[in-house]
Amino acid sequence: MADIIRLLPDHVANQIAAGEVVQRPSSVVKELMENAIDAGATDIQLIIKDGGKTLIQVVDNGKGMSGTDARLSFERHATSKIQKAEDLFNLHTKGFRGEALASIAAIAHVEMLTKTEDDDIGTKIKIEGSKIVSQEVVVAPKGTSMLVKNLFFNIPARRNFLKSDQVEYRHITDEFHRISLAHPQVAFSFYNNGSDVFQLPANEFRKRIVHIFGRKTDEKLVPVEEETQVVKISGYILKPEFAKKSRGEQFFFANNRFIKSPYLHHAILGAFEGVIRPGTHPGYFLNLEVNPGTIDINIHPTKTEVKFDDEHTLYAMLKSTVKHSLGQFNVVPALDFEQDQNLDTPYSYKNKQVGIPQVVVDASFNPFETTVKTSKGNNSTGNYKKPKVEGWENLYAGLETKVESNVSHLEFESEVVNSSIFDDEKESIEPTTTTFQLRKKFIITTIKSGMVVINQSRAHQRVLYENFLKNITIKEAVSQQLLFPLTLSFSPGEMNILKEIKDNLCTVGFVFGDLDDEGVEIKGVPVLVAESEVQMIMEQLMSDFQQEVPGDSFSQSDMLAKTLAKTLSVKTGESLDEFSQVKLVNDLFACKETTLSPFNKKVYVTITENDIERKFI
Ligand code: ADP
Ligand code: MG
């Protein structure tokens, strides 16, 4: 048989490598910005168009390249950053694999303009799908400008796989945040479709965070500082009361490189345990400085997953350092959910005046006399009735009832029967069906053939979802005016999302007042929404839309209805009174779709009489 093994031509090998390095426009942004940092730039501009699909440009004032280097930089495994394998254990640069430019040039139209300090004249190279189109000598400022156009022009399958411009823009913004946070001493600017998104002057870390996430962030930050032989930890955590429903602001940097580490994230969760509400996520911006020899960055082409030599020690240190900061800044006691409730004075006693105890003596009292006497010289209690000796138990009667009446004021959250969700219609509904709530999770009701077990939360989601979707479509939502408008603050990134979805929010009943880059005034809310829930709902919306920005307006409405349904629905663990149970069952079966929740989860199961009979065999 003839030999069949061949070496792949370079441009094919580069395209394959590109698959690993360049997943989407944000990967290009990352590689180009990291190259600019490695080139020692102090000012970096990022310019994008159409979510980076048509254009990504990074301009830096770094050290630039000579003509030969400029040409060579597009070759695979061409790097100035390491020379031998040992260098891998002492990395001080972001890049070192020498494959980013080769990969990008294999799948896009690239123009590079570069000049070094020493050269008088610069170089311009055009390269398309790994082919050099032109190389010229041109006048250029010191530094490098990389222009990447028409990403994946030669791989239609990859291009079609890209998400909407907004989603890609969101990914790029995330990348921009990560790199600019990792390098606060470098000035950055960011332009999207011709408008200016960020202008970040060189600054200290705290100011960089505030510039990116908004002025209000400053007061939320608690410093974290610890230095040991293994690691230097520095940065900030967000005060526990600002823990969010979404996982937004969580950043680890190892030696100025953004990293993802579920393991270390877990350490932070441990430190915050008990001080943040369940279901919310702590925010953090933490730098870990370790000896470059003790960290392996080479395990993944995008280099965000790294391996530390001594992860367990790092875990323990991180946890205790963060805990210490929480304690030191006195943010824990105010929110200590674990605190023994019995040690707290009941609220009803808090404002009571402390009086001097008075002892009232009935001078005429004779314990051996059984007749009741009316006391005379006693002006404070009026009639004092001496209890009969045989009725001694009555002595405690008053005390008992007093204790009881106090207790009856206490409501244990888990026992609260939730009837409010359908309160308005309570009168008009007659329970015609018998329902039963099981474990505060399922509603059981009978049908002809047997019984239905309904997941209460999913059923309510379905009901709310269809309701909201209808409101959005026919634009007939009713809103309730808030007596005092609420002012909520958000980061500029979140405000961008809000601006995009604002019109749709109005159709479900939100009424907005003033709106700027850092916050919004809310004047009215949908009838189903309680004022206290507004912040939570808005955060949930931002986080859902941040992860997935729907392209057309229908999917935007759909997503809005889903988020509202998810946030406002009855949850597992809530008791429902009989009316609510019946109403939920009736509403569910009046829905267009009854079997699945808006998130495609099964809403109910039926168990037939036969099924039950069979169990008895
Ligand atoms: P790596 O960064 O892993 O070395 P790249 O393919 O990203 O590989 O870049 C190849 C080389 O091109 C770099 O090692 C560097 O010498 C040079 N280079 C790339 N971008 C720049 C830039 N913005 N300024 C100066 N030199 C650059
Ligand atoms: Mg690089």
Side-chain angles (χ1 to χ4, degrees):
M1 195 175 111
D3 297 337
I4 50 170
I5 297 181
R6 252 168 285 157
L7 276 177
L8 287 176
D10 265 359
H11 69 275
V12 181
N14 283 341
Q15 264 199 21
I16 295 171
E20 286 198 335
V21 182
V22 185
Q23 272 115 29
R24 50 182 359 132
S26 67
S27 332
V28 175
V29 168
K30 173 177 190 287
E31 294 299 334
L32 297 185
M33 286 181 71
E34 288 189 345
N35 277 348
I37 302 262
D38 285 345
T42 55
D43 194 317
I44 298 174
Q45 293 176 44
L46 169 66
I47 299 147
I48 63 158
K49 271 196 191 133
D50 307 322
K53 292 177 193 165
T54 10
L55 171 97
I56 298 168
Q57 186 178 15
V58 173
V59 184
D60 70 53
N61 64 352
K63 65 175 184 249
M65 280 172 271
S66 68
T68 328
D69 278 355
R71 172 67 194 81
L72 207 59
S73 68
F74 290 105
E75 292 298 324
R76 207 139 64 96
H77 308 309
T79 180
S80 56
K81 299 169 193 173
I82 56 169
Q83 289 174 3
K84 46 191 188 305
E86 293 85 80
D87 294 344
L88 277 174
F89 304 104
N90 191 22
L91 283 172
H92 292 281
T93 52
K94 311 276 112 178
F96 54 85
R97 299 167 68 114
E99 48 187 16
L101 292 190
S103 301
I104 295 167
I107 45 136
H109 296 162
V110 178
E111 270 179 55
M112 175 201 273
L113 187 65
T114 186
K115 187 185 94 70
T116 64
E117 177 100 75
D118 302 335
D119 291 331
D120 294 329
I121 205 102
T123 310
K124 183 174 175 179
I125 294 183
K126 269 194 189 178
I127 182 164
E128 293 179 358
S130 295
K131 280 198 231 26
I132 303 261
V133 177
S134 66
Q135 173 157 2
E136 305 161 43
V137 176
V138 290
V139 180
K142 178 206 156 198
T144 305
S145 153
M146 291 286 300
L147 197 92
V148 176
K149 288 191 289 192
N150 310 323
L151 195 68
F152 298 130
F153 78 97
N154 50 359
I155 317 179
R158 295 294 300 275
R159 196 170 169 87
N160 295 337
F161 178 74
L162 293 177
K163 294 274 171 69
S164 69
D165 289 0
Q166 287 112 310
V167 174
E168 297 302 340
Y169 168 67
R170 205 77 69 217
H171 283 291
I172 292 176
T173 312
D174 284 346
E175 207 56 71
F176 181 83
H177 286 167
R178 293 166 181 178
I179 295 175
S180 56
L181 282 170
H183 300 278
Q185 73 292 351
V186 175
F188 289 92
S189 40
F190 180 12
Y191 304 87
N192 176 36
N193 290 338
S195 67
D196 172 341
V197 190
F198 282 112
Q199 290 292 343
L200 309 172
N203 234 321
E204 38 158 349
F205 190 44
R206 186 178 186 127
K207 293 219 172 99
R208 176 59 50 93
I209 298 173
V210 172
H211 269 133
I212 296 177
F213 295 102
R215 231 180 315 128
K216 290 262 165 47
T217 320
D218 199 31
E219 66 212 44
K220 303 181 185 171
L221 299 175
V222 177
V224 177
E225 205 74 68
E226 177 68 276
E227 187 162 1
T228 68
Q229 299 223 302
V230 187
V231 60
K232 179 171 176 239
I233 302 170
S234 64
Y236 300 89
I237 47 176
L238 287 184
K239 288 182 187 162
E241 64 260 42
F242 299 107
K244 282 190 176 182
K245 280 264 168 191
S246 62
R247 287 191 51 171
E249 284 125 35
Q250 300 179 335
F251 296 89
F252 275 127
F253 302 97
N255 295 357
N256 295 328
R257 182 192 301 276
F258 170 82
I259 58 158
K260 287 184 186 151
S261 171
Y263 183 64
L264 297 182
H265 172 71
H266 193 262
I268 309 280
L269 292 185
F272 271 88
E273 199 175 295
V275 293
I276 54 172
R277 263 162 240 288
T280 59
H281 303 274
Y284 54 86
F285 306 85
L286 294 171
N287 300 306
L288 311 173
E289 261 173 69
V290 295
N291 178 342
T294 65
I295 176 173
D296 183 0
I297 307 161
N298 204 13
I299 54 174
H300 195 264
T302 60
K303 306 178 227 86
T304 46
E305 280 150 50
V306 303
K307 180 135 185 42
F308 295 97
D309 271 2
D310 196 353
E311 269 193 331
H312 298 305
T313 316
L314 218 56
Y315 182 101
M317 271 176 197
L318 204 55
K319 184 168 169 178
S320 75
T321 308
V322 169
K323 252 196 162 149
H324 180 72
S325 288
L326 284 168
Q328 201 179 23
F329 286 84
N330 218 8
V331 277
V332 175
L335 281 148
D336 197 348
F337 300 135
E338 307 278 270
Q339 205 176 337
D340 189 348
Q341 303 271 314
N342 297 326
L343 299 177
D344 266 345
T345 319
Y347 284 116
S348 53
Y349 282 81
K350 283 226 161 109
N351 299 325
K352 282 201 173 159
Q353 294 289 322
V354 180
I356 302 167
Q358 290 186 355
V359 180
V360 180
V361 181
D362 179 10
S364 58
F365 173 58
N366 177 352
F368 302 106
E369 222 176 289
T370 48
T371 50
V372 176
K373 267 191 185 170
T374 308
S375 103
K376 286 165 191 119
N378 190 337
N379 50 16
S380 62
T381 48
N383 286 345
Y384 174 74
K385 288 187 180 169
K386 186 187 74 70
K388 287 177 189 152
V389 177
E390 56 269 34
W392 62 271
E393 314 90 273
N394 295 346
L395 273 175
Y396 298 96
L399 190 64
E400 254 174 41
T401 47
K402 205 167 174 198
V403 171
E404 253 171 28
S405 71
N406 249 349
V407 169
S408 69
H409 282 281
L410 293 178
E411 283 181 342
F412 296 100
E413 201 176 43
S414 54
E415 293 304 325
V416 174
V417 174
N418 194 340
S419 59
S420 63
I421 49 167
F422 300 118
D423 250 0
D424 44 335
E425 291 165 75
K426 210 169 184 174
E427 259 85 313
S428 59
I429 304 236
E430 277 301 316
T432 45
T433 346
T434 329
T435 56
F436 170 75
Q437 192 182 22
L438 179 72
R439 299 205 178 275
K440 296 178 188 158
K441 187 172 184 184
F442 302 108
I443 310 287
I444 296 174
T445 184
T446 47
I447 46 170
K448 251 192 194 157
S449 58
M451 66 184 199
V452 200
V453 183
I454 302 170
N455 180 313
Q456 64 184 44
S457 180
R458 292 179 189 175
H460 197 206
Q461 281 178 4
R462 166 54 61 185
V463 172
L464 289 175
Y465 168 73
E466 293 203 0
N467 196 359
F468 277 118
L469 207 59
K470 194 174 85 200
N471 281 342
I472 298 173
T473 330
I474 58 176
K475 300 195 177 8
E476 233 179 39
V478 192
S479 62
Q480 46 179 344
Q481 289 297 107
L482 296 177
L483 202 53
F484 302 104
L486 283 173
T487 311
L488 304 181
S489 55
F490 293 107
S491 71
E494 288 172 323
M495 283 310 295
N496 276 335
I497 299 175
L498 184 63
K499 284 174 197 159
E500 275 168 38
I501 58 174
K502 188 171 157 250
D503 288 350
N504 256 330
L505 282 172
C506 292
T507 61
V508 287
F510 282 97
V511 182
F512 294 98
D514 295 340
L515 182 143
D516 62 25
D517 276 353
E518 301 208 340
V520 64
E521 190 186 37
I522 296 181
K523 291 180 160 170
V525 293
V527 265
L528 283 171
V529 175
E531 190 173 333
S532 57
E533 294 170 327
V534 178
Q535 172 99 32
M536 185 185 74
I537 289 173
M538 296 303 266
E539 276 176 12
Q540 188 68 55
L541 279 170
M542 306 284 185
S543 107
D544 286 358
F545 276 80
Q546 201 150 20
Q547 275 148 34
E548 187 75 12
V549 179
D552 56 68
S553 97
F554 172 75
S555 39
Q556 203 183 82
S557 315
D558 182 63
M559 190 150 163
L560 180 61
K562 276 183 184 158
T563 303
L564 288 170
K566 178 172 69 186
T567 332
L568 294 171
S569 61
V570 176
K571 306 286 179 313
T572 298
E574 285 186 53
S575 290
L576 296 181
D577 68 4
E578 208 190 326
F579 275 108
S580 303
Q581 293 176 24
V582 173
K583 174 88 168 81
L584 183 56
V585 173
N586 290 346
D587 282 355
L588 172 68
F589 290 104
C591 281
K592 284 189 189 147
E593 157 70 59
T594 57
T595 52
L596 294 173
S597 82
F599 303 94
N600 283 331
K601 297 265 170 59
K602 207 182 255 187
V603 173
Y604 61 85
V605 289
T606 47
I607 300 171
T608 63
E609 208 181 325
N610 274 345
D611 294 338
I612 302 170
E613 292 285 8
R614 244 176 277 143
K615 299 254 177 220
F616 286 95
I617 300 171

